[in-house]
Amino acid sequence: MTLAPHAPAAPEPARPALTARALVVEFPVGRGQKVHAVSGVDLDLPAGRTLGILGESGCGKSTVGRALIQLPPPDSGTVRLGAEELTALGPEELRRARARIQIIMQDPVSALNPRRKVKDLVWEGPSIWGRAAADKDTEVDAILRAVGLDPETVRDRRPHELSGGQCQRVCIARALMLDPEVLICDEPVSSLDVSVQAQILNLLETTTRERGLSMVFIAHDVSVVKNISDEVMVMYLGKVCEVLPSDGMHLAAAHPYTRLLLASLPEAQRSGDGSPAHPGASAEPAVVAAELPSPLDPPSGCRFRTRCPLATDRCAAEAPGLREIAPGHRIACHHIESTRSLP
Amino acid sequence: MTSAPAPLLRATDVATVFRTPRGAMRAVDGVSLSLARGETLGIVGESGSGKSVLGRTLMGLITDGPGTSVTGSVLLGGKDVHALSPAGRRALWGTEVAMVFQDPMTSLNPVKKIGRHLSESVRLHLGLSRAASRERAVELLRQVGIPEPARRARQYPHELSGGMRQRVVIAMALACGPRLLIADEPTTALDVTVQKQILDLLQSLGEELEMATILISHDLGTIAGRTDRVAVMYAGRLVEHARTTEVFDNPEHPYSRALIASIPHLGLPPHTLLPAIEGRPPNLLNPPPGCRFAPRCRLATDLCTAQPPALTARAGDDTGGAVACHHPLGAAKEATV
């Protein structure tokens, strides 16, 4: 069964829930060197929609997610949550604003305090914001039921008495407790078993729809990101290579790196009937070098050029900017015309 | 799986039980399988299904001893792995069977150079001289697709990327020309683009060296299209076992079918709710008496909760496929699941 998109696609522009401009995050590593984790990322999340951020480890996708909630704040650039500019707020104002934007981490077990009971973990946010303890039991039970847990069984348990999937449901309950506008999910299913992954993905899908939540969904798995998102942003080594609508992205993707990600996907995940995603996709992807360059000293120009089969001198000299090639489809590549020939 | 005259590997009714303070945990419970020379077998299951313990039991890394009981027999090239002395087993490792583990960094010694990892085993097993073993090490690195093998042999593991390290570990496993390679989640710790390269490498090496391969993974995608046969494990038992294409196209066991259906694929439109398997695998300290999947199965009946199903031939499968289910899906599956 297919759910309708969160908001009707036609009346654009939707009210932005979260906007980021020119985000830069760098980590000094001593001897004057620094890791260029995120180098100038723009991001737009319309209200009620889901934006997927896709990339391999080291591409800066998690750093972007953390910069959005100011953990830590970006070195430069702006983040706006609705009308409020998070990057310009003082500590107390930021603390208040953070209740409106919540994050769900990859490892649910380490995200929970092992010594606290589920009911206290879930009520932690409201208790900090001074909600009356009289409401605690009814509200905690309601939210636990909403995330598919049986309050009777789990209310008084501690995280070690729960499975990974149950812990992730508790984390989702914690995030929802404060009624946020934006949910950031950083690889929420990668530490879970295959059969449990689908449960959690379905829960996120129905929750965001029912509550009208906007979500940033960060993951490395193309088919997972495609399934949950309205729009997908592909990152490589701290920069955005491509932004495109998720519907039909496996056919429309034009950036050589996105094509490589799609070609690396096991056959079973490309399409249901086992046919290749692209005509002729069974051919080997023509990748020059396999290794991710060091983020300490990223390549000049286009950062993907060291692995790109289409790279020319221009790619080394000049960093490509994002250009719109179709409505809602932007790509940072000098050789857009040639990318269609790739597997 | 009976056509081959003398299978390379024949495991009969293997059970691995760990004695824990809370009771006996039957991690592998009565698994039988065989593998012909040069054949590839995928073992797929979720964490806790016993797939890794089975891999280690087949290799003889887990043996009968204090705290562990191994019953059944594992015949590898005609020798019973679990009847051999420890020294006898060690002689098999490397030359008959070798293993590649999930995390390459923990398989490598951080203070030993790459070349030493490789030359050590060839000197030990094949009795080569120092100079000859060094040459063999460089040759092995070239074989697994490492650029500049001579320079890499002089480097330490930390100087290599994750994908390169896994290539080194594969080279170590190949060093003495084993006839069976067991790869336990060989790509789980690697990035997607590197995963494909490593799986391609394992596949081409298997074909080139006529080496049988057992690929253990939680990821059905890894197994599909890369193995001849696949064995699906659930809670310590084999639930389905057949040609890979058969399992993917016509799964007979409700668990196999649900597992395949629960992976999102690119052909689905965005926001498709996935057919998830509700609940979670049983506790192996106290498994349900009948079929272990019964508590999560939509087709379960009283028979399923009372009596464990035996592996029986799959309907219309003349290639030795088997399924352990009282209500195999057969032709009616579209209507029922």
Side-chain angles (χ1 to χ4, degrees):
Chain A
M1 63 200 121
T2 305
L3 299 180
H6 295 176
E12 291 284 340
R15 184 177 60 84
L18 189 70
T19 331
R21 286 288 169 268
L23 283 186
V24 175
V25 184
E26 288 166 348
F27 299 110
V29 290
R31 287 193 232 137
Q33 286 190 303
K34 52 192 172 182
V35 171
H36 301 261
V38 177
S39 311
V41 167
D42 293 349
L43 175 152
D44 291 280
L45 175 64
R49 297 296 194 94
T50 297
L51 171 71
I53 304 184
L54 183 66
E56 293 178 274
S57 50
C59 76
K61 58 189 191 301
S62 294
T63 312
V64 167
R66 283 155 183 261
L68 292 175
I69 56 162
Q70 314 292 305
L71 272 179
D75 291 297
S76 69
T78 57
V79 178
R80 300 181 78 89
L81 175 63
E84 208 159 16
E85 189 172 326
L86 295 182
T87 33
L89 297 179
E92 179 53 28
E93 292 162 306
L94 180 60
R95 197 175 82 85
R96 290 185 185 285
R98 274 211 185 111
R100 295 160 52 204
I101 179 166
Q102 293 289 315
I103 189 162
I104 291 165
M105 304 282 190
Q106 172 172 351
D107 180 2
V109 182
S110 61
L112 298 171
N113 184 336
R115 303 185 56 165
R116 305 197 72 182
K117 291 180 179 174
V118 167
K119 61 180 181 191
D120 301 318
L121 286 165
V122 171
W123 192 252
E124 190 172 7
S127 80
I128 288 170
W129 292 100
R131 295 264 289 280
D135 303 334
K136 180 173 170 179
D137 290 347
T138 49
E139 289 206 24
V140 166
D141 286 5
I143 202 89
L144 288 177
R145 260 191 290 274
V147 297
L149 292 170
D150 174 25
E152 294 299 320
T153 348
V154 301
R155 200 191 292 130
D156 289 308
R157 293 203 184 170
R158 292 190 171 81
H160 72 91
E161 297 171 284
L162 304 175
S163 69
Q166 287 176 314
C167 282
Q168 196 58 290
R169 287 177 194 267
V170 172
C171 290
I172 295 171
R174 267 164 66 85
L176 295 179
M177 203 64 221
L178 288 169
D179 216 1
E181 294 157 33
V182 176
L183 199 58
I184 294 175
C185 298
D186 187 1
E187 299 265 15
V189 295
S190 16
S191 67
L192 304 176
D193 257 323
V194 198
S195 71
V196 182
Q197 272 189 16
Q199 296 172 10
I200 298 294
L201 290 171
N202 286 349
L203 174 65
L204 287 171
E205 183 74 60
T206 48
T207 311
T208 49
R209 198 173 63 127
E210 280 162 14
R211 295 173 183 251
L213 274 173
S214 320
M215 177 159 71
V216 177
F217 188 94
I218 302 166
H220 68 278
D221 187 321
V222 188
S223 43
V224 167
V225 169
K226 188 208 160 191
N227 193 37
I228 203 160
S229 312
D230 296 294
E231 191 177 43
V232 176
M233 180 166 113
V234 184
M235 284 187 70
Y236 182 79
L237 221 60
K239 289 204 171 185
V240 178
C241 341
E242 188 162 13
V243 183
L244 72 171
S246 63
D247 201 4
M249 71 168 279
H250 55 301
L251 303 170
H255 195 283
Y257 178 62
T258 318
R259 302 290 283 245
L260 170 64
L261 281 180
L262 288 164
S264 306
L265 208 59
E267 235 168 83
Q269 270 162 273
R270 289 199 198 151
S271 60
D273 52 8
S275 63
H278 308 291
S282 51
E284 290 296 298
V287 180
V288 178
E291 302 299 321
L292 195 74
S294 164
L296 287 172
D297 184 22
S300 65
C302 173
R303 291 190 176 176
F304 185 58
R305 69 177 166 84
T306 54
R307 294 171 73 184
C308 183
L310 303 175
T312 57
D313 291 347
R314 187 176 169 210
C315 302
E318 193 186 328
L322 277 172
R323 281 190 285 160
E324 188 154 49
I325 58 166
H329 188 173
R330 286 171 296 150
I331 163 172
C333 181
H334 290 310
H335 301 288
I336 294 167
E337 313 72 40
S338 327
T339 60
R340 297 285 168 197
S341 65
L342 285 176
Chain B
M1 296 229 112
T2 46
S3 52
L8 177 62
L9 174 80
R10 184 187 288 283
T12 315
D13 204 22
V14 173
T16 309
V17 182
F18 298 115
R19 283 185 282 273
T20 72
R22 289 181 292 161
M25 202 190 77
R26 304 185 71 81
V28 175
D29 199 356
V31 170
S32 302
L33 47 85
S34 69
L35 194 65
R37 274 168 220 280
E39 199 179 19
T40 51
L41 170 74
I43 299 182
V44 67
E46 297 178 84
S47 48
S49 63
K51 58 188 190 302
S52 292
V53 173
L54 176 62
R56 281 159 210 233
T57 308
L58 293 179
M59 183 155 174
L61 285 176
I62 296 175
T63 50
D64 215 23
T68 314
S69 113
V70 175
T71 52
S73 74
V74 179
L75 292 176
L76 185 65
K79 289 181 190 151
D80 188 340
V81 175
H82 291 274
L84 289 172
S85 66
R89 264 196 297 276
R90 255 201 315 278
L92 286 183
W93 295 337
T95 54
E96 282 287 324
V97 55
M99 197 151 182
V100 173
F101 295 96
Q102 175 174 342
D103 180 3
M105 201 55 200
T106 53
S107 299
L108 297 170
N109 184 337
V111 296
K112 253 168 47 175
K113 289 181 179 169
I114 298 298
R116 279 278 303 283
H117 284 89
L118 296 158
S119 54
E120 185 185 49
S121 57
V122 294
R123 287 188 62 200
L124 201 69
H125 282 287
L126 308 180
L128 295 183
S129 71
R130 260 171 216 283
S133 72
R134 260 199 300 273
E135 268 171 42
R136 172 84 178 130
V138 172
E139 177 49 38
L140 282 164
L141 291 176
R142 186 173 293 122
Q143 200 174 11
V144 295
I146 290 183
E148 301 178 75
R151 186 174 69 86
R152 291 297 188 181
R154 291 191 301 271
Q155 289 187 318
Y156 288 95
H158 76 265
E159 296 176 83
L160 272 61
S161 69
M164 284 294 158
R165 283 179 205 148
Q166 195 61 291
R167 285 175 192 265
V168 171
V169 174
I170 292 171
M172 282 163 64
L174 297 180
C176 303
R179 289 193 290 170
L180 170 64
L181 182 70
I182 303 179
D184 187 1
E185 302 267 12
T187 59
T188 310
L190 305 174
D191 263 322
V192 263
T193 52
V194 183
Q195 278 187 9
K196 182 174 189 300
Q197 297 166 10
I198 296 292
L199 292 170
D200 288 346
L201 173 70
L202 283 172
Q203 199 172 355
S204 64
L205 286 171
E207 285 162 17
E208 192 182 317
L209 305 173
E210 291 172 14
M211 180 175 64
T213 314
I214 295 182
L215 192 59
I216 301 174
S217 180
H218 70 283
D219 184 357
L220 283 164
T222 309
I223 306 262
R226 296 199 183 265
T227 55
D228 302 323
R229 299 183 152 266
V230 63
V232 183
M233 285 191 75
Y234 185 77
R237 293 212 178 123
L238 218 53
V239 295
E240 188 161 9
H241 177 202
R243 284 240 291 266
T244 307
T245 47
E246 283 295 310
V247 172
F248 277 86
D249 297 344
N250 302 303
E252 286 275 321
H253 199 283
Y255 177 67
S256 316
R257 181 177 170 81
L259 203 57
I260 293 164
S262 67
I263 325 172
H265 59 82
L266 290 175
L268 294 171
H271 307 296
T272 307
L273 285 185
L274 302 164
I277 313 172
E278 292 308 323
R280 53 193 173 116
N283 182 350
L284 289 177
L285 287 169
N286 186 18
C291 170
R292 295 191 172 169
F293 187 59
R296 299 172 80 185
C297 183
R298 294 186 205 184
L299 306 175
T301 57
D302 290 346
L303 177 64
C304 301
T305 49
Q307 195 186 327
L311 267 179
T312 45
R314 283 162 50 104
D317 187 342
D318 53 3
T319 55
V323 60
C325 181
H326 290 306
H327 308 289
L329 295 165
K333 61 180 169 264
E334 294 303 333
T336 47
V337 177

